[in-house]
Amino acid sequence: MNDAAQPLLIANWKANLAPGEEVALAAQIATLGATRRLSPGSLMIAPSMVGLVAVASLLRREHDALKLGIAAQDCSSDLAGAATGEIPASHLLGAADAVILGHSERRARGESGSLIGAKLARCVAAGIRPILCLGDADPKATESERCALVVRQWREVLAGAATLGCDVATVLGSGVTIAYEPVWAIGSGQAASPDVAAAVARALRSETSSSSLRILYGGSVDGKSAAGFLSPTGEGSLNGLLIGGASLQAERLLEIATAVGVAS
Ligand code: 13P
């Protein structure tokens, strides 16, 4: 997976593509990525659950040099067993390197911080990296309101993880990555300003006393806005981007990779 120094891009394909289309797009991205000297380990793809294994095996079989990571878009809070339709984190091991948790599109379907925390604990126990989404819903919130809300979401998730015996030190030691995704920016065509994302990153690093906590930004990122998110420094710095719409075309995704310096 990617080293700490280079930005990480995660392509969240959501439920936009059928599995065959996902395999085709993964192949296009890998081929274009090789041409553009995409830096190994700098890109992770999050296909649908049905496409995940096919995408992972294609990338490992034919494009291994690029070290493209695979993330699931969710997992179960159950360990395993009699839970029809659930996909335990431990069953994703081998196919996925990471799991996106708590996306606002899942929270909007009723997922609570406590449930997301249980899922996070399962990922940590399974040794699979959690990508935890946090985000506020009010574009007019003040900076302090916004930061307080995101910190509150973080605490709720930690409380959920604690019910399964996973404490904050264990969560932080798991390589957890936070994706700050303001709900009002997602799919709107209007990204937040890098200053907003930097303020939230500072608040989260202060809350966790972890200056090395990895934090991504997501919400309407494209080739024009991408680089701006990597310019804040110090405690407000961002380590990469979680990309929705612009990751559905190989050319647009590689444009972002070029903008942030992981492709030519
Ligand atoms: P968009 O880039 O389409 O706004 O989606 C962002 C997102 O939700 C990624 O998880």
Side-chain angles (χ1 to χ4, degrees):
M1 221 173 292
N2 80 316
D3 63 69
Q6 79 174 341
L8 174 65
L9 303 179
I10 304 180
N12 180 7
W13 288 348
K14 308 188 179 185
N16 284 296
L17 304 171
E21 295 170 322
E22 293 185 315
V23 171
L25 179 56
Q28 276 176 24
I29 289 170
T31 304
L32 195 58
T35 312
R36 304 272 196 86
R37 299 175 193 285
L38 180 66
S39 177
S42 62
L43 175 62
M44 193 175 266
I45 292 177
S48 66
M49 246 0 149
V50 260
L52 187 141
V53 171
V55 168
S57 54
L58 168 91
L59 294 177
R60 283 167 199 161
R61 197 174 61 240
E62 296 185 24
H63 305 279
D64 199 41
L66 285 173
K67 302 282 173 236
L68 296 173
I70 296 286
Q73 296 177 17
D74 190 24
C75 73
S76 180
S77 60
D78 286 48
L79 183 58
T84 302
E86 293 292 305
I87 301 179
S90 58
H91 294 186
L92 289 163
L93 264 186
D97 307 288
V99 179
I100 297 173
L101 294 173
H103 194 284
S104 58
E105 290 155 12
R106 298 219 55 79
R107 291 176 189 259
R109 284 167 176 74
E111 286 201 10
S112 63
S114 143
L115 178 72
I116 296 161
K119 293 180 176 193
L120 185 127
R122 296 300 187 199
C123 287
V124 171
I128 192 160
R129 175 174 165 189
I131 312 288
L132 172 65
C133 299
L134 303 173
D136 51 293
D138 181 3
K140 295 198 172 61
T142 63
E143 183 177 297
S144 63
E145 287 167 344
R146 198 182 305 292
C147 292
L149 190 137
V150 173
V151 166
R152 191 159 71 239
Q153 285 180 332
W154 163 252
R155 290 180 187 165
E156 285 166 5
V157 170
L158 283 183
T163 62
L164 291 179
C166 181
D167 63 16
V168 60
T170 310
V171 172
L172 290 172
S174 72
V176 66
T177 296
I178 290 179
Y180 169 57
E181 293 210 306
V183 180
W184 42 271
I186 295 174
S188 69
Q190 194 61 55
S193 86
D195 290 348
V196 166
V200 170
R202 273 194 295 275
L204 285 167
R205 292 201 175 98
S206 155
E207 168 71 12
T208 56
S209 306
S210 170
S211 54
S212 60
L213 181 65
R214 293 173 67 71
I215 302 175
L216 317 179
Y217 167 79
S220 293
V221 172
D222 60 16
K224 289 195 181 65
S225 61
F229 288 102
L230 299 182
S231 52
T233 53
E235 301 289 290
S237 63
L238 296 162
N239 306 96
L241 300 165
L242 181 52
I243 307 154
S247 73
L248 294 169
Q249 289 167 20
E251 191 57 62
R252 289 187 74 199
L253 183 58
L254 265 294
E255 204 182 307
I256 293 173
T258 302
V260 303
V262 294
S264 56

